[in-house]
Amino acid sequence: MPNNSEQIRIVQETVCGKEITFAHIMGGPAPVIYQKLGLNPQVDYGTSAIGIMNMTPPESAVIASDIAVKSGNVYLGVADRFTGTLIITGELSDVESAMLEILDFFRTEMEYVVCRLTRK
């Protein structure tokens, strides 16, 4: 046990794999979620959806965002190359299609380990 004058130094390290660790669709989310996340407020909340993903290496979010916007009518909310977070919005069918296309591309073309898409 260290005494009061000693300090403990902890080093945490993230080892990036090639993986998508989280992929979820929120169908018909409450308007407050859009507001708190700073997402496009001009949507039809009844038919809208929010898709969120997390991936490593974090720069993969840039590639995923390109796939998402080219796959259909989705709005890019967040593509963070530092955390690997991607958030897209749009009609439920468009968001689901974009998310599935991203997962398929990363699984087949880039050989990432990919989680399953969940939806609530």
Side-chain angles (χ1 to χ4, degrees):
M1 294 279 310
N3 63 33
N4 291 340
S5 65
E6 293 181 28
Q7 293 182 357
I8 297 176
R9 181 179 178 145
I10 298 173
V11 177
Q12 293 181 330
E13 184 177 336
T14 301
V15 179
C16 289
K18 289 173 33 177
E19 59 187 340
I20 296 179
T21 57
F22 180 75
H24 183 76
I25 297 174
M26 295 178 278
V32 69
I33 296 174
Y34 283 86
Q35 295 161 0
K36 293 294 183 179
L37 293 175
L39 299 174
N40 185 2
Q42 298 180 5
V43 298
D44 178 359
Y45 294 113
T47 61
S48 66
I50 297 174
I52 183 168
M53 293 183 141
N54 191 269
M55 55 202 71
T56 58
E59 298 85 2
S60 303
V62 176
I63 298 166
S65 67
D66 181 58
I67 294 168
V69 297
K70 288 178 179 175
S71 73
N73 190 24
V74 296
Y75 171 80
L76 182 59
V78 174
D80 191 332
R81 69 181 194 260
F82 300 109
T83 65
T85 299
L86 174 73
I87 299 175
I88 59 174
T89 63
E91 297 290 317
L92 180 58
S93 61
D94 292 326
V95 170
E96 183 172 27
S97 177
M99 299 279 282
L100 289 171
E101 195 162 327
I102 292 167
L103 292 172
D104 183 58
F105 178 82
F106 276 85
R107 180 186 306 108
T108 60
E109 299 298 319
M110 298 186 73
E111 298 180 355
Y112 276 43
V113 174
V114 174
C115 68
R116 69 181 182 88
L117 179 62
T118 56
R119 182 172 146 183
K120 179 76 175 161

